[in-house]
Amino acid sequence: MRMWRIALLAALVLVLGASMTSSAQAVTTQKKVLVQLREQGGFAGLDDRVTVYTDGCVRLSRRTGPAVARCLTGGEMRGLRADLRHLRVGRSEARPPGADFIKYTLAYRGHRADRYTLPGTWTAVVRRLERILQKYWTPS
């Protein structure tokens, strides 16, 4: 009888230890963000987000539907990384007077800025991320 209890206790320790290890691994394997774009505003109330992770996967969301997770092709990631080499995030731009403007928020390598007009180094990155959103985000 005593041996049965020892075996049960040992099995419980193994099971609990394994579950704690897998929980710890899940916490430490969070995806690292490569670049993030958010577009907000405009007359229609735009609110789009594109988050690209270093592993090549993306999270896409729009105001009008659920978030979608997809992975980019190798060519798409190479093209994005090439555009990012020329990106200079810079400073945020003051909100212009008026009501029908789109605010672009771009985050890359620890820098984040809001712009209402696209600087030259932002254009290729923003357009590429918009194409990714159009291609992979589909409403449910």
Side-chain angles (χ1 to χ4, degrees):
M1 180 84 162
R2 186 173 182 186
M3 191 63 149
W4 176 82
R5 289 181 185 165
I6 292 172
L8 180 62
L9 181 61
L12 284 173
V13 168
L14 286 174
V15 168
L16 289 175
S19 69
M20 289 174 62
T21 302
S22 64
S23 298
Q25 288 173 345
V27 170
T28 59
T29 59
Q30 288 182 336
K31 291 183 175 187
K32 185 175 178 187
V33 174
L34 176 64
V35 64
Q36 184 176 51
L37 171 69
R38 185 170 186 185
E39 297 176 338
Q40 295 174 286
F43 184 71
L46 188 69
D47 191 6
D48 295 345
R49 284 186 198 214
V50 179
T51 304
V52 181
Y53 298 97
T54 55
D55 67 356
C57 293
V58 296
R59 181 173 169 82
L60 310 164
S61 65
R62 289 189 156 167
R63 178 183 58 85
T64 58
V68 174
R70 298 282 190 267
C71 290
L72 302 178
T73 66
E76 289 169 330
M77 274 305 286
R78 283 189 297 277
L80 177 59
R81 287 185 187 276
D83 291 340
L84 289 170
R85 278 194 289 263
H86 304 289
L87 177 65
R88 302 293 172 258
V89 175
R91 296 183 182 187
S92 290
E93 181 179 34
R95 182 183 169 121
D100 194 22
F101 291 96
I102 295 175
K103 178 172 81 170
Y104 299 90
T105 302
L106 198 57
Y108 178 62
R109 289 191 174 177
H111 300 281
R112 170 183 243 104
D114 299 327
R115 301 293 303 221
Y116 294 88
T117 57
L118 292 178
T121 67
W122 283 38
T123 304
V125 173
V126 169
R127 297 300 176 233
R128 185 175 298 274
L129 294 173
E130 288 173 338
R131 283 193 307 271
I132 289 168
L133 180 67
Q134 290 294 326
K135 179 178 178 181
Y136 291 108
W137 188 85
T138 55
S140 58

